[in-house]
Amino acid sequence: DELHYVQGAAAAAGASFVRPGAGPPASVYRRGFAGPGRTLLASAPGAAGAGAFAMLPFVATPAEAAAVLAGEALRIERPPVVAIQFRGGPRPGVGGAEIVLHLTRMLDRSAHGAFLECRGEPLAALPMAERIALASLAQGRLGVRACVLPSDDVTRAYLAERGRDADWRRFDAGDGAAERTLELDLGRIAPAEPREACVRVGAEAEDDDLRLLAAAAARGARLTGVEVVVGGRATRRALEEGGVLAALESAGADVRDDGEARAQTPLDPGSLACADEAEVSAGRAKPISAPGLVASLGFAVPVPERESRRREGAELDPAEVLGPGDATGAFDRGTAPAPPERPAPLEGSPRGLVLVHAAGDLPGERVLAWGPRAQARRGDPVALAALAFDGNVVPLAESFGRLRCAFAIANGRWGEGARDEAVARALVALGVRVVLARTFAPGHARVLAVHGILPLAWRRDVDASRVESFDELELPGLGEAPPGTRRLTVRSLTRGQAFDVDVVVSAAWLELARAGGVLSAHANEAAGV
């Protein structure tokens, strides 16, 4: 029902619908839709790889994507630009993974939240697979908003092989304004040394990476301890035709389909973790699931000639992608996702009870354990709320009536995990409108604000143990606080105390949280409220 609804909605909106099994969304997008000069808004893992096509990829929550589809603007603050001017030529075996590893030492997280712009003629020596690796890994390892490379003849050849030469445009990185410009000599970067390690090549890896890995196997490399996850029917079909999967299996690799791998491992298929030198030398290695990882395995192999192999599916299979108007059946919601109830604006001096209280950290898995039951209810916030905190909070919320502004408190770190969107929707359904924690996992505070939950942080001099479960708290004057407010006061009506807290999101997201979230804010604007 859910897929029929999306398929019908896509046809009605004039959008393409990609059937399940076509492969990871980010890879499908690069094959059939990525083009120089375009802008990508995505909530799928791996979307940062579009930066290899001279595109600006933006990560957004599904709620923000829904607002953009409805015609609203994406609210972001302009990040700084850090330019990397490349010099020299790369040594054999040096690719995107090695470049990112060198940049992590060179930048030391100083480019966090920035746009990373790559410039220089030496980039012409990097094939598209390594460019995608560079753009993808830079976001996770460096914390940059996006890594953008120029569009040149390498980009054109990649698109032409997929019948998309008309989508190519040349974009040379010029000497435009940047807050910082750094130089990097590719000739100084050493290739990875062969090491024994347990490696997982996840479903987000490029087909080109798997072909290079198969080429290494053909030259005698043993892949014992390497797990390869194939992302979808279309990917498997293309790799089987070229004999890639057979070569990997004959070399000892454990080849699995995406669904089989997810059923047998607790890792999220979109996770990203690279083994550092200390772990590998000690005989340990973190699982890896990301594009462009052949160099990380330590195999320095030449790239085969383009004519000798089929690249990343050549083009999208028409059977896997339905163009506008090709969908069958009526546009029927059926039992698919229910429209969420929009939270009311936080006006005046909102007050409420502490409905959730954790003495230490509160990761997302403790808020909403993810499994088959949660997966089946992901489209219904009320049903998700019934599963939150193992179902122990719903009876409390019902006993107090529908709380207009409940508080959730963690005396430690809030967040961690890949289900922050579902966690936020479940909390809103419980009536939680304020989360107060010592720190927040990256990105989680913003997701809370997008859904109408105000994220606040304890100040260092505040004793968080002074607040307990079921205390009644108030945010005096929140509704009248000027935009850009960075500090608020929380008053405990139960204990007659007051303490200052910090606002941990920017002015734009503070306003979204006060308005009830991005969907409520846009609905109110449309209604002239």
Side-chain angles (χ1 to χ4, degrees), residues 268-360:
D268 186 281
S271 64
L272 171 62
C274 294
D276 58 33
E277 295 180 2
E279 289 176 312
V280 175
S281 62
R284 303 185 301 273
K286 296 179 181 178
I288 298 177
S289 177
L293 296 173
V294 172
S296 297
L297 301 181
F299 300 115
V301 296
V303 178
E305 294 295 328
R306 288 201 303 267
E307 293 75 17
S308 66
R309 63 194 176 110
R310 180 182 179 186
R311 290 202 173 216
E312 205 187 14
E315 58 182 280
L316 285 176
D317 187 339
E320 304 289 350
V321 180
L322 300 180
D326 292 339
T328 58
F331 179 16
D332 183 12
R333 180 179 296 275
T335 59
E341 180 180 343
R342 295 196 301 268
L346 292 174
E347 300 173 331
S349 300
R351 62 177 62 177
L353 299 179
V354 177
L355 194 62
V356 176
H357 187 280

Side-chain angles (χ1 to χ4, degrees), residues 471-520:
D471 283 0
E472 185 175 14
L473 305 182
E474 181 185 50
L475 287 168
L478 173 64
E480 293 74 32
T485 298
R486 304 306 303 166
R487 185 178 299 182
L488 295 171
T489 298
V490 175
R491 180 182 299 155
S492 173
L493 303 180
T494 302
R495 305 182 186 280
Q497 300 173 335
F499 45 89
D500 291 336
V501 294
D502 292 327
V503 178
V504 297
V505 291
S506 65
W509 284 296
L510 171 60
E511 295 310 306
L512 283 183
R514 291 200 293 188
V518 62
L519 298 183
S520 294

